Amino acid sequence: MNTVVADITYRAMLGRKRIWLLILLPVALVALAALLRVVNGQDEQTAVLLMKSFAIGTMLPLLGLIAGTGVIAPEIEDGTIIHLLAKPISRPVIAVTKFVVAASLIAVLAAVSTYASAYLLVGSESGVASGFALGALFGGIAYAAVFLLLGVLTRHAVAVGVIYALVWEGVVGGYVPGARKFSIQQWAQSLADQVSSSPFFSTEVTLGFAVPAMIIVTIGAVVWTGQRLRSLSLTGDD
C-alpha cells in the first residue's frame, strides 16, 4: 500500500459529490429506522426486514458501486491516471491502495449505520444489530473489490455496476435458489445469520461456503485489477 496514493485518493473521494451520495444512504437508513421505531416500537421482525432489504440488499451494493468505481474510474475516464501510472509505483500496489481506500469508506459507513439502525429498532436483542453489522462490514469489502475491478475493465463501470447490483444481486441472487451461492449479498447475510439468533431470519448459503467465496472473490478481484493496470498504456488507452 502506498500512503501518498491513499492520501490523494481519500481527499479526492471526500471532496467530490460522491461523498454526499456515500453519506446520504447511511443517513437514510438510520432515519428510516428511527421512524419505524416511533411508529411500530421495538419490532424484531421489522428490523430484520429492514436490514435484509435496505441495509444489505440496497445500501451496501450501492455504496460499493459509488466507492469502488469512484476511487479509480474517474481517473481513467479523464486520463489523469497516466500521471499515477508514470510514477515508480507498481501497478499491484496502486490496485491494493485503491482497494483499501474504497473498502475502508464502505466498511465504516455501512457497518456503523447498519448497527445503529438495527440497534434503534431492537437494541442488542437476538444479535440482530451486531450480526448485520458484521455482514455489512465484510460484504462491503467484497463489493469494493468487485466494483474496483469493474472500474478498470470498462469505461461504463457505473452503468454496468447498476445493472449488476439490481439484476444479479437484487433479482437473480435474491430469488433464484441456485444463484444465491454466487451473490455477495447472500454471503453477507450468511455472516449475519451466524451471529444472529433471530427466528425471523435464516439463510440458505452456509457459512462454510460464504467465507471462502468472499475471500476468493475479494483477493481475485484486487489481483486482477493490478494485472489490468499493467495493460494500460501511459496514453490512457486500453
Side-chain angles (χ1 to χ4, degrees):
M1 178 173 169
N2 186 284
T3 56
V4 174
V5 174
D7 180 63
I8 293 172
T9 306
Y10 273 121
R11 284 192 283 112
M13 287 297 294
L14 297 176
R16 292 173 180 165
K17 293 181 180 179
R18 281 183 178 82
I19 188 58
W20 295 109
L21 294 175
L22 286 169
I23 294 175
L24 178 62
L25 288 165
V27 168
L29 173 62
V30 175
L32 183 57
L35 177 62
L36 290 172
R37 178 58 189 262
V38 171
V39 175
N40 296 331
Q42 184 167 317
D43 188 336
E44 186 175 325
Q45 186 173 9
T46 298
V48 170
L49 180 61
L50 180 63
M51 294 304 101
K52 287 179 62 178
S53 62
F54 191 90
I56 303 295
T58 302
M59 180 188 73
L60 193 61
L62 289 179
L63 286 178
L65 175 63
I66 296 167
T69 60
V71 294
I72 198 165
E75 296 177 11
I76 295 177
E77 291 172 5
D78 61 23
T80 56
I81 190 71
I82 63 173
H83 301 296
L84 180 58
L85 298 180
K87 297 183 181 300
I89 306 173
S90 74
R91 308 299 168 85
V93 169
I94 294 174
V96 169
T97 303
K98 296 287 187 178
F99 162 70
V100 169
V101 172
S104 61
L105 289 172
I106 300 170
V108 170
L109 292 170
V112 171
S113 63
T114 297
Y115 183 87
S117 57
Y119 193 85
L120 275 173
L121 287 170
V122 293
S124 58
E125 185 176 338
S126 299
V128 172
S130 55
F132 277 100
L134 182 68
L137 173 63
F138 287 98
I141 291 173
Y143 274 126
V146 169
F147 286 118
L148 174 70
L149 173 61
L150 192 62
V152 300
L153 289 179
T154 174
R155 293 181 181 275
H156 306 287
V158 174
V160 175
V162 168
I163 294 173
Y164 165 79
L166 293 178
V167 177
W168 181 261
E169 292 286 339
V171 179
V172 179
Y175 297 100
V176 180
R180 289 173 183 166
K181 282 191 173 183
F182 306 100
S183 167
I184 296 175
Q185 178 184 146
Q186 296 299 317
W187 301 342
Q189 290 187 22
S190 180
L191 287 172
D193 185 39
Q194 183 67 23
V195 176
S196 172
S197 60
S198 173
F200 303 107
F201 178 50
S202 63
T203 58
E204 296 180 10
V205 181
T206 65
L207 189 69
F209 181 89
V211 171
M214 199 174 291
I215 293 173
I216 291 171
V217 166
T218 301
I219 295 176
V222 175
V223 171
W224 191 354
T225 299
Q227 295 303 312
R228 179 63 176 175
L229 287 176
R230 290 180 186 272
S231 68
L232 293 180
S233 71
L234 294 183
T235 61
D237 298 325
D238 292 319

